[in-house]
Amino acid sequence: MVVSPVLVIKIVDDSSVGVRARWRDDFVEHHIVLNSVLAYWWANELPPGVKFLELLESVIKRTINELTPHKTLKLKYAVKADNVLEKASDMEINLIEVEADDIGFKIDGKTLALKGLRKSSDVEDEKIPFNGTFDKVIETPDIVLKKYRQMKDK
């Protein structure tokens, strides 16, 4: 019987998003604290929908790298949003595929629904709903990969 690694994405008590990677008896977990990142993005007039996707990709990459260091991470996910990503307030992210150096992860908690990404004071023009799929290949720089392998070997 082959044991596949598992990636779990979930909303924790409406204030953070948990990202956990597990393989056999090992696991690594990180959280994205929504209030903190949203306040920063709002204060700096950054598009929360776009920035959240970038942050989620980065946290998934880091979490899996700490569990099993890898050179290439393939992520495939679908996004539905109430508006174009730069102006989206509500979005649903559905993870389709996660693979680290040809090791496929079973995905638990495939769908993540976020609401209230935009400030309520933001003036809305006409909304153009967004529905798209992202297929990403994220490389780990060699120097960073070396550090993850050193951490794992300790």
Side-chain angles (χ1 to χ4, degrees):
M1 182 174 112
V2 176
V3 177
S4 296
V6 178
L7 181 69
V8 180
I9 309 283
K10 64 181 179 178
I11 301 256
V12 181
D13 64 42
D14 291 336
S15 64
S16 69
V17 175
V19 177
R20 174 186 266 212
R22 185 179 72 236
W23 198 356
R24 296 183 181 99
D25 292 334
D26 293 335
F27 76 92
V28 176
E29 185 169 16
H30 292 286
H31 291 268
I32 300 170
V33 180
L34 294 172
N35 291 343
S36 298
V37 295
L38 285 174
Y40 176 80
W41 294 330
W42 292 343
N44 292 285
E45 298 182 14
L46 299 170
V50 172
K51 300 311 279 180
F52 182 81
L53 292 175
E54 290 172 1
L55 180 58
L56 182 63
E57 290 172 4
S58 175
V59 171
I60 290 171
K61 176 82 171 148
R62 176 181 175 203
T63 303
I64 293 175
N65 243 331
E66 288 180 11
L67 180 71
T68 178
H70 59 277
K71 181 67 178 166
T72 304
L73 179 71
K74 294 178 185 174
L75 277 178
K76 186 173 185 178
Y77 59 91
V79 176
K80 291 181 185 176
D82 65 338
N83 206 343
V84 293
L85 290 181
E86 292 77 14
K87 296 180 180 182
S89 182
D90 300 341
M91 65 180 3
E92 182 179 287
I93 304 159
N94 183 21
L95 285 172
I96 299 167
E97 183 180 6
V98 177
E99 189 177 285
D101 285 346
D102 300 321
I103 298 170
F105 276 72
K106 178 180 176 260
I107 305 168
D108 192 3
K110 291 184 176 193
T111 302
L112 185 64
L114 300 169
K115 297 196 178 297
L117 294 174
R118 306 262 312 162
K119 290 188 286 186
S120 58
S121 62
D122 288 343
V123 177
E124 284 293 323
D125 296 330
E126 180 183 349
K127 289 187 176 187
I128 304 167
F130 177 85
N131 191 354
T133 301
F134 296 87
D135 209 342
K136 302 276 184 118
V137 176
I138 307 169
E139 297 285 328
T140 303
D142 290 334
I143 188 77
V144 175
L145 183 57
K146 181 179 175 183
K147 291 292 182 189
Y148 278 121
R149 286 185 174 145
Q150 288 172 347
M151 286 173 38
K152 186 71 178 161
D153 291 339
K154 286 185 181 180

